[in-house]
Amino acid sequence: MAKSADAFRTISEAAEEVGAPQHVLRFWETKFTFVAPLKRAGGRRFYRAQDIAVLKAVKRLLHDEGLTIRGVQRLHKDQGLQKLLGADATDLIDETSPDTAAERNYFKPHETPRLQAVLEDLEQAKRRLDAVLST
C-alpha cells in the first residue's frame, strides 16, 4: 500500500526518494539550517513533502549544478528557500513559514500572546531571584 503524498517519510524512505544515502541526509542537516525534518522520541526523523522537495533541490544544486556547500548556503541566505526549490516546488512552501529550524515556531499564532505573558512572568521571577541571591 503506497503512502499518500502528504504522509511523513522515514529517513530510509526519504533517502530512497531523494536518491542519496541516509548518512548524507543527516550530514546535510548539519550544513543547511533549512534542512530540518521533524524529530520524534529517540531522535527518529520524519520528513514532510516539503522536506523531500528541499532535499531534492539540495542534491540538484550540489550534484547537477556543481555548487559547493557554501554556495548553497549563500544562495539560501541571499535569495531564500523558494529560489532553491525553483518554480516547480514553490507551492510546497508556505510564504509565512520560516526557512530555518531555528526560526520555526511550533506554537499556533493565537498562543503567542499567552506565551509572551508567561515569558514576562518568568523574566520577572528571575530578576527577583537574582536580587535575593545577590544580597
Side-chain angles (χ1 to χ4, degrees), residues 64-79:
D64 299 340
E65 296 185 23
L67 267 67
T68 62
I69 289 174
R70 187 167 295 230
V72 175
Q73 291 168 336
R74 186 167 291 130
L75 181 64
H76 174 258
K77 180 181 177 191
D78 294 343
Q79 299 183 19

Side-chain angles (χ1 to χ4, degrees), residues 5 34 54 62 68 74 84 87 93 98 124 133:
F34 52 87
V54 169
L62 293 173
T68 62
R74 186 167 291 130
L84 291 180
I93 302 298
Q124 192 175 55
L133 293 174

